[in-house]
Amino acid sequence: MHAMTRHDSLVRPDCGAARRRDCRLRVGWRAGIAGLMGSLFAVAAHALPSYARQTGADCAACHIGAYGPQLTPYGMRFKMGGYVETDGKDGKVPLSAMVLGNYTRTSKDVATADTVERYSSNSNPAMQEASVFLAGRLAAEVGSFVQLTYSGVERVTSLDQLDLRWARSLTLNGQDSIVGVSLNTNPTLTDPFNTLGQWRFPYTSSDFGAGYGPSPLIESLAGGVIGINPYLLYDKVYAEFGLYTGLSAGTTNALNTDYLGKVKGPMPYGRLAWFDDRKSYNWMVGLSAMYGGLYPDPSDKSASDTFTNFGIDGQYQFLGNRQNIFTVNGSYVRERQTLGYTQGVLGEASSRSGTLDQFRLAGSYTWQQTWGGTLGWFETRGSRDALRFGDSFSGSPNTSGYIAQIDWTPWGKEASWGSPWANLRLGLQYTGYNRFMGGSSYVDGDGNARKARDNNTTMLFLWLAI
Amino acid sequence: MQSTGTGAFGLLLALGLLGSTASHAADAGKAADTFVEECGDCHSLTPGKNKKGPSLRGVVGRSAGTVADYAGYSDAMKQAGFVWTVEKLDLYIAQPRKAVPGGRMKYDGLPDAQARANLIAYLSTMK
């Protein structure tokens, strides 16, 4: 449940979420669709007390560390079951809210051109986002996760996420199974695991940070598309297939989400996973795929840019008696790009074809479902192209680094104060860069050389959900 | 000699008792962990605290399907008409669907007989 994971196909990868609009205006169509380069920023995912009130379960039943979005097997099944499970009592109101505040400091002041409007070039406190959710059971087999977010940094309200589901539990060949269908606005939003774009670590990051480099198509479409995804859980197999189409300029304007351009036919999304829940531990391995073609300029359909994604991912959770929890999540996505429009029409890419490889790895430890520590690695490698990646001295978008986070979640357990009405997380996160835009230094928005490590970011955050 | 023999016997007895106590404590600890791992997501041991399933506080000796403020029982459980004895619990935890056909509990069962016995002994202490 990131807030603001809207794809901005037109920005440079070093544009933070809050700067994306400015970047879009600055860059315009110049960059073309070549880069589905929007990085995932400001990812904020949530444990929703409305679900806890509905089910009678504590946050820790569904979430590792008693706070979202890292799901336990119980939480995964709740989600796959369509958000409709209850404790049998009527009268539950499927509404929640949350607010996320943070203080961000980067190693070196950002360039004037990269400074977020209305904020300083460094050391920024912000009410990053405030959201209301329609989240829970709407009918016997219909449930929702719908998030409306006000960005305190961008100062706009948008439809952040939409996942409306119908699901039914049934027995197939003697196996407890679930079939369902989701209407949603973001590929990977529907996924029950914590390895794909929408739900993987980090679960929140600063709008003032530099991001994690270019992103593949599969995680760059949030808010700009709508899709129908039938899915099935059968024994240990989870399978999902979705078809997405682009939202119109008028619709995205009304929702305050990003317009992608004209989508070339339906964009298929596929997901297949093997999930083995042994109660005290569980593991999964999965495959994901997506294909999409875009006409960046809807009035010009002479050429398009197309993207093909294939990914492999896996996760392991040791839960035991829930007092000492270990998790490991990893993913790899390969993207093949055919830039017929960007290269052929705009002439803003040297080559018509390119690739992008994205690696992510994160390991976490949680003590007593209250104290957590996570260490993550991110790395993106892409084809060199001096025209596309003018900010790079080498023409390469390669970006890598690490994220370390410690957090404290005092509530969210069965006997916690405020349960099931409130939950809270306080955390400290540090992002360090080894490479940014191809090397240890790159060209910042003012045209000056900037070291990758100048973007190292420390964020203190306070996250409250009711 | 007799005194020495008595002392040795006493020491052995004490060690045995200590061992037995430690063994019981270990079993109780294992059973508590088993409860958390197998049952705790859906059931609480807090009196009156119902989740997806009813509170299991005082379940041993209780009539099936009778927790007053729990609204999630299946018709099959409401009409089961038995008391949760140790033997019934053992059958149910081993194979829920077989023990109560038509029940709602989505649980494949705990095949380890010793783990079930420890778990039921643990539940028996939760009066």
Side-chain angles (χ1 to χ4, degrees):
Chain A
M1 304 174 219
H2 322 175
M4 299 178 294
T5 54
R6 294 185 297 276
H7 160 62
D8 188 335
S9 62
L10 309 175
V11 302
R12 304 176 312 175
D14 54 324
C15 292
R19 281 169 270 165
R20 280 181 289 178
R21 286 170 189 278
D22 300 334
C23 287
R24 179 171 63 242
L25 293 174
R26 190 169 71 239
V27 179
W29 288 113
R30 176 180 62 80
I33 207 69
L36 283 164
M37 296 292 289
S39 304
L40 283 177
F41 295 92
V43 286
H46 327 297
L48 293 182
S50 63
Y51 292 146
R53 291 188 285 272
Q54 175 179 304
T55 60
D58 40 283
C59 300
C62 283
H63 295 291
I64 303 289
Y67 209 99
Q70 205 174 2
L71 292 174
T72 64
Y74 181 83
M76 295 172 201
R77 288 195 178 87
F78 174 75
K79 180 175 181 177
M80 290 186 275
Y83 312 108
V84 299
E85 278 183 9
T86 74
D87 59 2
K89 293 178 181 172
D90 296 327
K92 305 294 175 62
V93 178
L95 293 175
S96 266
M98 69 124 232
V99 62
L100 172 65
N102 57 26
Y103 172 82
T104 307
R105 178 162 179 78
T106 47
S107 181
K108 185 180 175 185
D109 293 0
V110 300
T112 302
D114 293 333
T115 299
V116 178
E117 190 179 349
R118 295 181 294 271
Y119 285 88
S120 302
S121 58
N122 208 340
S123 304
N124 285 300
M127 192 286 287
Q128 186 160 298
E129 63 181 271
S131 298
V132 292
F133 300 85
L134 177 67
R137 179 187 175 104
L138 305 179
E141 295 178 330
V142 178
S144 67
F145 171 77
V146 181
Q147 179 183 7
L148 196 65
T149 295
Y150 171 74
S151 164
V153 177
E154 292 190 68
R155 300 192 183 179
V156 294
T157 301
S158 62
L159 178 65
D160 206 347
Q161 304 290 356
L162 182 143
D163 180 11
L164 287 171
R165 291 184 181 223
W166 170 88
R168 174 172 292 177
S169 297
L170 67 167
T171 303
L172 294 174
N173 292 331
Q175 301 288 344
D176 283 335
S177 305
I178 299 172
V179 294
V181 60
S182 162
L183 176 72
N184 66 89
T185 56
N186 183 5
T188 76
L189 173 68
T190 53
D191 205 61
F193 309 106
N194 289 97
T195 48
L196 301 186
Q198 181 62 43
W199 298 112
R200 68 175 173 226
F201 181 78
Y203 310 120
T204 180
S205 57
S206 174
D207 277 1
F208 303 96
Y212 312 110
S215 299
L217 175 86
I218 196 169
E219 59 187 63
S220 303
L221 301 173
V225 295
I226 190 159
I228 291 278
N229 302 31
Y231 62 93
L232 166 73
L233 175 69
Y234 173 73
D235 193 13
K236 294 179 172 60
V237 177
Y238 176 77
E240 179 181 347
F241 177 76
L243 284 175
Y244 288 85
T245 189
L247 294 172
S248 69
T251 303
T252 53
N253 189 47
L255 300 177
N256 259 330
T257 56
D258 288 334
Y259 179 56
L260 301 170
K262 178 74 177 171
V263 170
K264 181 184 178 184
M267 295 191 283
Y269 164 81
R271 176 72 161 134
L272 188 63
W274 178 269
F275 171 57
D276 192 1
D277 178 14
R278 301 295 182 95
K279 301 296 182 185
S280 62
Y281 70 95
N282 65 83
W283 59 275
M284 66 77 66
V285 291
L287 301 169
S288 60
M290 186 156 196
Y291 170 81
L294 299 167
Y295 299 106
D297 181 353
S299 64
D300 181 1
K301 294 185 181 173
S302 61
S304 64
D305 290 339
T306 61
F307 305 85
T308 306
N309 291 182
F310 288 103
I312 183 168
D313 58 295
Q315 72 178 33
Y316 171 84
Q317 297 178 341
F318 173 79
L319 301 175
N321 64 5
R322 273 59 168 177
Q323 296 305 296
N324 296 279
I325 297 175
F326 298 89
T327 70
V328 179
N329 298 343
S331 66
Y332 165 67
V333 177
R334 180 166 181 88
E335 176 170 270
R336 284 190 289 122
Q337 307 161 337
T338 305
L339 308 174
Y341 183 83
T342 300
Q343 193 264 343
V345 176
L346 295 178
E348 294 181 347
S350 305
S351 173
R352 183 181 168 83
S353 61
T355 60
L356 193 69
D357 296 280
Q358 183 198 64
F359 306 87
R360 293 296 182 95
L361 184 66
S364 74
Y365 168 68
T366 307
W367 184 56
Q368 294 189 339
Q369 312 218 55
T370 300
W371 299 92
T374 308
L375 191 60
W377 173 259
F378 60 92
E379 177 155 2
T380 302
R381 299 175 190 164
S383 304
R384 289 176 188 269
D385 192 318
L387 284 178
R388 289 172 66 193
F389 307 117
D391 293 346
S392 170
F393 286 118
S394 60
S396 162
N398 294 4
T399 298
S400 65
Y402 58 92
I403 307 163
Q405 178 176 309
I406 53 173
D407 47 65
W408 177 57
T409 307
W411 305 336
K413 277 73 75 177
E414 186 177 316
S416 295
W417 181 90
S419 178
W421 293 98
N423 202 355
L424 170 75
R425 172 165 283 180
L426 180 65
L428 182 65
Q429 184 187 95
Y430 183 80
T431 305
Y433 293 88
N434 300 322
R435 285 187 298 181
F436 198 89
M437 290 306 290
S440 57
S441 60
Y442 69 105
V443 183
D444 69 17
D446 290 346
N448 300 318
R450 182 177 172 88
K451 292 184 173 124
R453 66 170 183 261
D454 291 341
N455 291 330
N456 291 0
T457 303
T458 304
M459 175 181 69
L460 177 68
F461 63 91
L462 179 66
W463 204 350
L464 176 68
I466 56 173
Chain B
M1 284 296 287
Q2 190 175 6
S3 171
T4 305
T6 306
F9 177 75
L11 181 60
L12 285 171
L13 182 63
L15 287 172
L17 285 172
L18 278 173
S20 174
T21 305
S23 173
H24 280 118
D27 286 348
K30 280 185 190 171
D33 288 353
T34 302
F35 178 83
V36 172
E37 292 170 9
E38 301 285 332
C39 319
D41 287 338
C42 299
H43 296 279
S44 172
L45 288 172
T46 304
K49 170 67 177 173
N50 300 316
K51 298 183 176 178
K52 186 178 174 184
S55 170
L56 294 183
R57 191 79 178 206
V59 64
V60 180
R62 189 164 74 202
S63 295
T66 59
V67 171
D69 58 347
Y70 177 66
Y73 285 121
S74 63
D75 289 340
M77 188 61 82
K78 285 184 203 168
Q79 295 161 11
F82 60 75
V83 171
W84 287 118
T85 60
V86 169
E87 294 74 21
K88 262 300 184 196
L89 278 167
D90 188 59
L91 285 172
Y92 187 66
I93 295 170
Q95 292 182 296
R97 291 182 191 84
K98 191 173 176 184
V100 182
R104 282 188 184 154
M105 190 162 84
K106 291 184 174 58
Y107 179 60
D108 293 334
L110 181 61
D112 183 336
Q114 186 59 54
R116 290 199 306 274
N118 290 343
L119 176 60
I120 295 166
Y122 175 68
L123 290 173
S124 299
T125 66
M126 297 290 158
K127 298 185 186 300

